[in-house]
Amino acid sequence: MIRPQIGLSDIYLDLSVETGTSFERSFTIYSKNGQELAGKILSTNDKMVPVLTELSGTECEIPFYFKGKMAIPGEEHYGEFLLLTNGGEFNIPYCVTVTSRKYR
């Protein structure tokens, strides 16, 4: 069986969020050689949550959100998304910086 060759849309996520808010974003994992992907997605920080926890197909968009409702300006939250796949194991490190709320 041929293993998928993994491609990632992002290798590092440097994000910011206003205090008292949350945000949603996504990244993509795909097979460069057309072989089916299978695997799991985990996060090492409980404030950063992957919406999908299982992979399948040749391309998967992985939405995630940051729980920032109780975050304090100046805080930095670090962690990694761990991608455990049939094409290997990959880490996508992230840093989320909490900023002061901008009043409009």
Side-chain angles (χ1 to χ4, degrees):
M1 184 166 137
I2 300 173
R3 290 175 45 162
Q5 295 174 347
I6 304 298
L8 299 168
S9 63
D10 297 274
I11 58 169
Y12 178 76
L13 299 167
D14 188 12
L15 308 165
S16 64
V17 61
E18 287 184 4
T19 188
T21 64
S22 296
F23 70 81
E24 293 185 29
R25 299 273 194 308
S26 66
F27 62 88
T28 303
I29 181 171
Y30 57 93
S31 172
K32 294 179 182 179
N33 62 355
Q35 297 298 310
E36 291 281 319
L37 291 166
K40 297 194 176 291
I41 302 129
L42 306 165
S43 175
T44 61
N45 185 321
D46 63 354
K47 287 190 169 294
M48 185 72 87
V49 181
V51 175
L52 297 177
T53 56
E54 303 221 359
L55 299 167
S56 65
T58 56
E59 181 173 306
C60 300
E61 183 176 3
I62 310 301
F64 61 88
Y65 65 93
F66 179 77
K67 299 187 279 186
K69 298 257 186 232
M70 302 300 288
I72 298 169
E75 286 182 337
E76 291 185 330
H77 297 271
Y78 295 93
E80 295 179 320
F81 286 112
L82 307 175
L83 309 173
L84 310 172
T85 78
N86 58 340
E89 295 181 10
F90 303 88
N91 297 4
I92 300 177
Y94 52 78
C95 175
V96 179
T97 303
V98 181
T99 62
S100 297
R101 179 168 260 172
K102 296 176 183 126
Y103 294 96
R104 295 167 179 88

